[in-house]
Amino acid sequence: MQVVATAGHVDHGKSTLVRALTGMEPDRLAEERRRGLTIELGYAWTTLPSGERLAFVDVPGHERFLGTTLAGVGPVPAVMFVVAADEGWMPQSQEHLVALEALGVRHGLLAVTRADLADPAPVVEEAGVRLAAAGLTGAEALAVSGRTGQGLDELRKALDRLVARLPEPDPGAPVRLWIDRAFSVRGSGTVVTGTLPEGRITVGDELVLGDGLARVRALECLKEPVTSVTGVARVAVNLRGGAAERGRALLTPGAWTMTDLADVRLSPVGGARETSLPGRLSAHLGSAAVGCAVRPLGDGVVRLRLARPLPLHVGDVLLLRDPGRATGTDRTEVRVLAGASVLDVRPPPLRRRGAARLRAAELTKAPSGAGALLRTHRLLRGADLLAMGCVPEGEPVCGDWYADPEHWSLLGERLAETVARHAAEHPLEPGMPVEAARNALGLPERRLVAALVRPPLAVTGGRIVSGPPRGLPEPVARAVSRLRAELSARPFLAPEAGRLAELGLGPRELAAAVRAGMLLRIADGIVLLPGADVAAARLLARLPQPFTVSQARQALATSRRVAVPLLEHLDRGGLTERLDGVNRRCPAATR
């Protein structure tokens, strides 16, 4: 099926025409029928000559109900524009046309009504020129009368040709169903209606609604129960959960960016060459209408701060209007001021002088899409790109992370510089901790640091090293050589803390010497020559087995301060075995 909205000045016969085409009453309210004035959105449908089902969203024509009109027109792909032959082009004709131009509606037809009351030819000519200038190029024009039935068969055939030209919707697209009605049904609960432009909704789906999730309990399409529906379609959804009201949307989870800040490019409408906007406006998207503050950035680019978050994609088109206009005596002033094409749904802050101008220049020269977003944000997850409305391009740099190529290359250079600087400032450390590198580069995950590592850099033990192991700094090397000479004379008598301090060997220097293979760490503050543990095991193997700590201390010519941790070290290495609280022995293999 397809969905078409009506548009046009009040009392030009939109509802009458829909009624004549469908046999259904689009005016649902008693007040509408009493006054002969459409106040709320109306819905009706018919089957075209080709068998295609077509639903109409009938909108109010009165200028006081422009917000309601935009809620009906916003989600639909095409329009049936209505102008009366006996009145011609009127103020709301112009305002509705400007709104359609701003929203980017480019498919439609012109129905000149009340052709039984006046010659339709002049209106067909004038309205056709106006529609073409607003982007509805090639719209068929027909003279009709809803009262007499004149031209209705030709109109049905023209509607058939119109819907045949409409773009094919994507059933796999994420769902964004703007709610245009929300009400309660006794025994069923909450029901919402809207126009589904693309995507699929199935009974049992969980969709985002406001701050929570709502489960689809049942579906109807044109009053018929269905288990699944794809766009384009008029659909009624019975929900469990969620706060439903007009202006909210049912959303595929994770597929949209909820944001109250967006950078947009303005599109002048109504023949204007440029657009100067007030500081506060109303922004319309789908059935939503929210206040917004406008900050000009330059070159036709502005930043909108919305009164509440909306689900946006890059490429969405908002309509900006001044709700305060046309409230005086001049009812001909058009309140729709511009269309606004979304360029970024997560724009960066503007903190420095001149940042707004630079931001506008960046957005003006950069093509839209994932590449443009990455040039701004530098690093984004694939899921974030999709939620922003862009399919990731190329291969991820790590996991689900995508990067701007130029920025990624610069990060690699910065990493090499950062590691080299860390090595110069911390010569005793074996390399730069990965976490420290992540903080220095401002990266969100440690694995991104590892993905940047290229030879001669390498990741070892949670640290980034460059090239082969470095030697000890000269002062440390001299101190270690003196210590090694002292240990050569008494290999199992580790120096005490005071002597180590005299030599200038603190914990960091000792750790560096151990990593360099020049010392063997037995316990905190106790170091011996490499291989001293194996030599000690050989000596202990000559003792009568088993032996005590005291006997081991005497055999090794050392102190209890060294003997106890040395024996524990030998136990851990399997060179000795502890039999009980007093005795040890050397395994047969070491004797």
Side-chain angles (χ1 to χ4, degrees), residues 38 146 221 234 331 418 555:
T38 299
C221 184
R234 282 296 301 174
R331 295 291 183 179
T418 301

Side-chain angles (χ1 to χ4, degrees), residues 147-402:
R147 187 176 65 85
T148 68
Q150 174 186 340
L152 291 185
D153 288 342
E154 289 76 12
L155 179 56
R156 291 187 179 94
K157 293 175 184 177
L159 286 166
D160 235 340
R161 291 189 291 271
L162 171 63
V163 299
R165 296 195 306 270
L166 295 180
E168 192 70 25
D170 179 7
V175 168
R176 181 173 61 181
L177 178 71
W178 289 105
I179 298 171
D180 51 36
R181 289 180 65 207
F183 50 93
S184 295
V185 175
R186 192 169 185 177
S188 296
T190 301
V191 175
V192 300
T193 68
T195 299
L196 179 66
E198 59 183 353
R200 180 187 301 273
I201 301 178
T202 302
V203 172
D205 285 350
E206 281 195 334
L207 300 173
V208 174
L209 179 58
D211 295 329
L213 290 175
R215 183 178 292 277
V216 177
R217 300 175 61 183
L219 289 168
E220 281 189 0
C221 184
L222 306 186
K223 295 289 187 180
E224 297 176 2
V226 292
T227 59
S228 183
V229 62
T230 58
V232 175
R234 282 296 301 174
V235 60
V237 189
N238 182 201
L239 297 172
R240 178 185 289 114
E245 61 181 353
R246 176 185 286 179
R248 302 287 179 178
L250 288 171
L251 308 167
T252 298
W256 301 87
T257 298
M258 294 297 298
T259 181
D260 61 358
L261 199 66
D263 286 347
V264 303
R265 178 178 288 114
L266 298 179
S267 299
V269 291
R273 293 188 176 182
E274 57 183 41
T275 302
S276 178
L277 299 179
R280 300 201 66 83
L281 291 173
S282 179
H284 295 257
L285 178 67
S287 62
V290 299
C292 67
V294 180
R295 178 178 180 179
L297 303 182
D299 298 324
V301 177
V302 302
R303 176 162 293 184
L304 301 180
R305 183 169 294 279
L306 306 170
R308 66 174 173 87
L310 293 178
L312 296 182
H313 273 173
V314 170
D316 278 339
V317 177
L318 290 81
L319 181 148
L320 302 180
R321 74 179 182 110
D322 186 351
R325 290 195 178 193
T327 56
T329 58
D330 184 7
R331 295 291 183 179
T332 65
E333 186 177 13
V334 174
R335 292 170 290 170
V336 175
L337 301 181
S341 179
V342 177
L343 303 174
D344 196 342
V345 295
R346 286 171 46 181
L350 303 173
R351 296 193 177 98
R352 296 179 295 177
R353 182 184 297 272
R357 177 177 49 81
L358 293 173
R359 175 65 171 155
E362 175 187 15
L363 290 171
T364 299
K365 69 182 181 182
S368 60
L373 289 176
L374 287 172
R375 274 188 288 278
T376 296
H377 300 279
R378 299 184 175 181
L379 277 169
L380 286 170
R381 292 181 181 274
D384 291 331
L385 280 167
L386 289 172
M388 296 168 82
C390 293
V391 176
E393 301 169 358
E395 296 296 323
V397 295
C398 174
D400 190 37
W401 286 99
Y402 290 79

